[in-house]
């Protein structure tokens, strides 16, 4: 097999691997193993066999503060895990799964993936366009499934959807009812969070003058329909929290652009949103009590009473109580936590030593945990970090994100106007959004987030390349002037 044939094969497999960024709920049939982690293993194998200097390429970034903090974070998680193992707070099996498979492999393989493929396999510009188109297609797919399955109650797409949502079907079987938009996610709320954190890069790129696709007609269609489809999708996700945060994020983005020439576009968007919202009410037999609008009202009324929230909005109550359980675990183990992905095994004692009310779902999980030791509960980046890695791990992780933002801000000053620069600005605010929203239903081990974090490495190399090109031009110009 020739070198060109090998490189073409790796190029194709790289694009296939990137597709799995948008297939978070596709698992190996009959196994609780995500297919994206299997695919990335083979991708990394190909890269390390057929490309050189991978370790040196990664080691280059140690000169930057955000990367040093990331290394400290990794070392702390490993060190605290070993310490907890010695004190019998962490079993060998749980440490191997949580610390090594989930934390190190699942997260950091995807974190380093962008810099190992960019630019030698795929350019930064192509990665940017791939992400923007990928988000668009997840919206289209979610709306299609909602329309076919949820509105018209047809089942011809079920075989495909049951594969894409394999993680959910493993738990619930193949009888899924789509009264909300799930798209490729296990839960509609996860999809809502995914859309909200991506809003900055979507707005920055879609509303820019730069093409997303080369074909003029398709590019025009994509840019004109992107935001209306985005608004329609977040409404049909029907998550009260993410709908509100979507509106807040949108208003924040446009706050400096509320001028006469831009006001028309905003009016069109919000009229469209109102129209779709009213349509949802009509579709659901004009019974407002069945819509997500009523869920917002119930949440507002019960916000001061956790016991009332358990009955009026059990889904939200389950999340909030789960976070409070994690806080209780943290207060018992404030320095090191209880080990990465190990909070579920310390929840029983936290519950028995508190007066927290339990929803029906949590009460069922508690009864099961009495025999298994594992308590199934909701999580979010911030609360998981506190319970699992303690105050030190939490500080290090958020310091990494903050210094990441500082680095992206510096890089933007050295980039000329381009789609890369616009995406880089959006990326900065997307990471900021992840930080702000990390207190609610944003998962710690979502590989898409770690891929997004890893794009900072690509931007560093992109600016380095631009600087080298500029320096080369200066040398050539000086040489010509001296001759």
């Amino acid at each position: 097999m020739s070198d060109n044939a090998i490189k073409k094969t790796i190029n194709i497999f790289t694009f296939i691997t990137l597709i799995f960024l948008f297939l978070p709920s596709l698992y190996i049939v009959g196994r609780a193993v995500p297919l994206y982690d299997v695919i990335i293993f083979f991708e990394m194998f190909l890269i390390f066999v057929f490309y050189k200097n991978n370790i040196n390429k990664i080691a280059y970034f140690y000169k930057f503060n955000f990367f040093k903090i990331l290394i400290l974070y990794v070392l702390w998680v490993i060190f605290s895990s070993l310490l907890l193992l010695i004190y019998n707070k962490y079993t060998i099996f749980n440490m191997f799964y949580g610390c090594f498979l989930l934390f190190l492999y699942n997260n950091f393989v995807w974190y380093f993936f962008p810099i190992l493929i960019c630019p030698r396999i795929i350019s930064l510009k192509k990665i940017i366009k791939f992400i923007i188109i990928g988000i668009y297609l997840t919206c289209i797919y979610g709306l299609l499934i909602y329309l076919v399955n949820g509105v018209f109650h047809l089942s011809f797409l079920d075989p495909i959807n049951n594969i894409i949502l394999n993680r959910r079907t493993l738990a619930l079987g193949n009888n899924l009812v789509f009264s909300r938009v799930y798209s490729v996610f296990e839960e509609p709320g996860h999809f809502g969070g995914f859309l909200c954190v991506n809003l900055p890069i979507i707005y920055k790129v879609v509303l820019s003058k730069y093409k997303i696709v080369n074909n003029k007609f398709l590019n025009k269609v994509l840019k004109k329909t992107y935001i209306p489809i985005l608004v329609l999708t977040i409404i049909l996700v029907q998550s009260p929290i993410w709908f509100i945060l979507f509106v807040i994020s949108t208003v924040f983005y446009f706050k400096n652009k509320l001028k006469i020439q831009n006001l028309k576009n905003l009016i069109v968007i919000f009229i469209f949103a109102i129209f779709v919202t009213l349509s949802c009410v009509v579709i659901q037999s004009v019974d407002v009590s069945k819509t997500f609008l009523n869920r917002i009202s119930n949440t507002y009324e019960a916000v001061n009473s956790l016991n009332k929230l358990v009955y009026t909005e059990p889904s939200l109550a389950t999340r909030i109580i789960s976070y409070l359980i994690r806080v209780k675990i943290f207060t018992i183990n404030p320095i090191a936590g209880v080990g990465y992905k190990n909070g579920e095994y310390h929840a029983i004692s936290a519950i028995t030593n508190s007066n927290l009310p339990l929803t029906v779902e949590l009460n069922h999980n508690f009864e099961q945990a009495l025999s298994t030791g594992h308590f199934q509960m909701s999580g979010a980046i911030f609360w998981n970090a506190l319970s699992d890695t303690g105050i030190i791990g939490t500080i290090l992780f958020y310091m990494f994100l903050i210094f990441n933002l500082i680095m992206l801000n510096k890089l933007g000053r050295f980039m000329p106007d381009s789609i890369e620069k616009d995406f880089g600005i959006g990326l900065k605010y997307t990471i900021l959004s992840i930080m702000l929203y990390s207190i609610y239903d944003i998962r710690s081990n979502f590989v898409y987030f770690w891929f997004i974090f890893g794009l900072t490495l690509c931007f560093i190399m992109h600016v380095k390349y631009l600087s080298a090109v500029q320096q080369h031009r200066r040398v050539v110009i000086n040489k010509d002037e001296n001759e």
Side-chain angles (χ1 to χ4, degrees):
M1 197 172 186
S2 66
D3 289 343
N4 287 335
I6 291 173
K7 287 186 177 181
K8 286 182 180 179
T9 302
I10 294 176
N11 288 352
I12 293 171
F13 198 78
T14 298
F15 276 101
I16 292 173
T17 304
L18 286 170
I19 291 173
F20 278 84
L21 282 171
F22 301 97
L23 295 173
S25 298
L26 178 55
Y27 276 42
I28 295 176
V29 178
R31 303 288 180 183
V33 179
L35 196 53
Y36 54 76
D37 273 347
V38 177
I39 295 296
I40 195 68
F41 173 83
F42 289 107
E43 171 72 9
M44 286 296 178
F45 175 80
L46 292 173
I47 290 173
F48 275 86
V49 169
F50 294 104
Y51 288 91
K52 298 178 181 179
N53 299 321
N54 293 300
I55 300 299
N56 291 336
K57 195 170 186 179
I58 293 173
Y60 168 79
F61 298 100
Y62 188 72
K63 65 174 70 175
F64 300 103
N65 289 331
F66 78 94
F67 197 79
K68 291 179 182 178
I69 295 171
L70 180 63
I71 297 301
L72 287 175
Y73 175 54
V74 171
L75 292 176
W76 168 254
V77 171
I78 295 173
F79 171 76
S80 61
S81 296
L82 294 173
L83 200 63
L84 291 165
L85 180 66
I86 294 173
Y87 283 93
N88 294 319
K89 290 190 174 184
Y90 212 1
T91 66
I92 293 178
F93 176 82
N94 290 345
M95 186 183 73
F96 177 75
Y97 171 73
C99 182
F100 292 99
L101 286 183
L102 198 56
F103 177 68
L104 292 177
Y105 176 75
N106 179 84
N107 295 343
F108 287 95
V109 169
W110 284 95
Y111 175 76
F112 291 117
F113 180 45
I115 194 57
L116 294 177
I117 64 172
C118 177
R120 58 187 176 185
I121 298 177
I122 179 173
S123 68
L124 180 58
K125 181 179 290 186
K126 286 184 179 179
I127 290 178
I128 290 169
K129 292 182 177 182
F130 189 93
I131 289 173
I132 296 298
I133 294 172
I135 297 170
Y136 182 79
L137 292 179
T138 60
C139 292
I140 294 292
Y141 177 76
L143 293 175
L144 178 63
I145 292 297
Y146 175 84
L147 185 65
V148 171
N149 196 311
V151 177
F152 295 109
H153 306 293
L154 302 175
S155 60
F156 65 91
L157 290 178
D158 283 359
I160 296 174
N161 199 54
N162 288 336
I163 293 174
I164 291 177
L165 288 175
N166 181 260
R167 184 179 185 183
R168 185 174 176 83
T169 56
L170 280 173
L172 302 179
N174 295 330
N175 299 318
L176 301 179
V177 179
F178 291 91
S179 57
R180 300 167 65 186
V181 172
Y182 287 74
S183 188
V184 297
F185 290 83
E186 184 181 3
E187 297 289 344
H190 294 166
F191 189 27
F194 172 78
L195 294 178
C196 284
V197 300
N198 278 297
L199 281 179
I201 61 176
I202 292 171
Y203 287 147
K204 198 65 184 176
V205 173
V206 172
L207 298 177
S208 73
K209 63 182 179 181
Y210 304 105
K211 289 183 178 180
I212 300 175
V213 294
N214 293 328
N215 184 282
K216 290 184 179 180
F217 174 75
L218 290 179
N219 186 69
K220 187 175 182 179
V221 171
L222 187 63
K223 287 207 166 192
K224 292 292 185 182
T225 61
Y226 205 118
I227 294 179
I229 284 175
L230 191 67
V231 174
L232 176 61
T233 303
I234 195 66
I235 290 172
L236 294 179
V237 164
Q238 299 183 57
S239 171
I241 296 294
W242 292 119
F243 177 77
I244 293 171
L245 292 177
F246 182 93
V247 173
I248 292 173
S249 297
T250 300
V251 171
F252 179 82
Y253 179 85
F254 288 106
K255 68 181 177 65
N256 293 326
K257 300 184 178 182
L258 292 176
K259 301 176 183 179
I260 298 300
Q261 59 266 34
N262 294 316
L263 190 58
K264 181 180 177 181
N265 293 331
L266 285 175
I267 292 172
V268 170
I269 291 172
F270 282 105
I271 289 177
F272 178 80
I274 293 171
F275 171 77
V276 174
T277 304
L278 293 175
S279 298
C280 292
V281 176
V282 172
I283 289 173
Q284 298 187 38
S285 303
V286 203
D287 185 356
V288 178
S289 65
K290 295 181 180 179
T291 70
F292 76 106
L293 298 175
N294 188 63
R295 294 181 64 196
I296 295 176
S297 175
N298 288 339
T299 302
Y300 176 78
E301 292 176 359
V303 72
N304 292 321
S305 173
L306 192 57
N307 286 293
K308 185 176 181 181
L309 194 64
V310 167
Y311 296 101
T312 59
E313 191 54 44
S315 178
L316 178 61
T318 294
R319 288 182 174 85
I320 293 176
I321 293 169
S322 294
Y323 303 156
L324 292 175
I325 293 171
R326 291 186 182 277
V327 170
K328 182 66 177 179
I329 295 171
F330 163 69
T331 58
I332 299 172
N333 310 272
I335 305 300
V338 294
Y340 202 87
K341 194 56 180 177
N342 199 39
E344 290 81 357
Y345 291 92
H346 288 259
I348 295 178
S349 60
I351 294 171
T352 54
N353 292 323
S354 67
N355 296 319
L356 290 172
L358 297 180
T359 61
V360 173
E361 179 183 352
L362 290 178
N363 191 59
H364 172 73
N365 294 345
F366 182 78
E367 291 176 356
Q368 287 188 326
L370 292 176
S371 58
T372 63
H374 180 273
F375 180 76
Q376 184 66 39
M377 58 181 170
S378 301
I381 292 176
F382 180 71
W383 311 113
N384 285 35
L386 284 176
S387 65
D388 294 357
T389 65
I391 189 64
I392 295 177
T394 303
I395 290 174
L396 287 173
F397 176 73
Y398 281 91
M399 282 182 63
F400 158 66
L401 294 183
I402 291 170
F403 276 82
N404 211 335
L405 294 178
I406 295 172
M407 175 55 65
L408 285 171
N409 194 53
K410 290 180 180 179
L411 293 173
R413 301 171 189 170
F414 300 100
M415 296 175 64
D417 290 341
S418 60
I419 192 172
E420 290 92 342
K421 181 173 183 176
D422 282 350
F423 184 89
I425 295 171
L427 177 64
K428 178 176 64 176
Y429 289 106
T430 283
I431 294 176
L432 178 61
S433 297
I434 293 173
M435 289 179 62
L436 295 175
Y437 300 154
S438 64
I439 62 171
Y440 182 79
D441 209 26
I442 295 288
R443 291 173 291 162
S444 306
N445 307 300
F446 186 22
V447 295
Y448 177 86
F449 288 164
W450 285 97
F451 182 90
I452 286 292
F453 299 155
L455 286 176
T456 299
L457 308 181
C458 297
F459 276 95
I460 290 173
M461 298 308 294
H462 180 69
V463 170
K464 182 182 178 183
Y465 169 77
L466 293 176
S467 178
V469 170
Q470 190 176 26
Q471 182 65 30
H472 176 72
R473 287 175 179 171
R474 289 174 182 170
V475 171
V476 172
I477 291 172
N478 291 335
K479 184 178 180 182
D480 290 341
E481 289 178 348
N482 293 330
E483 289 180 351

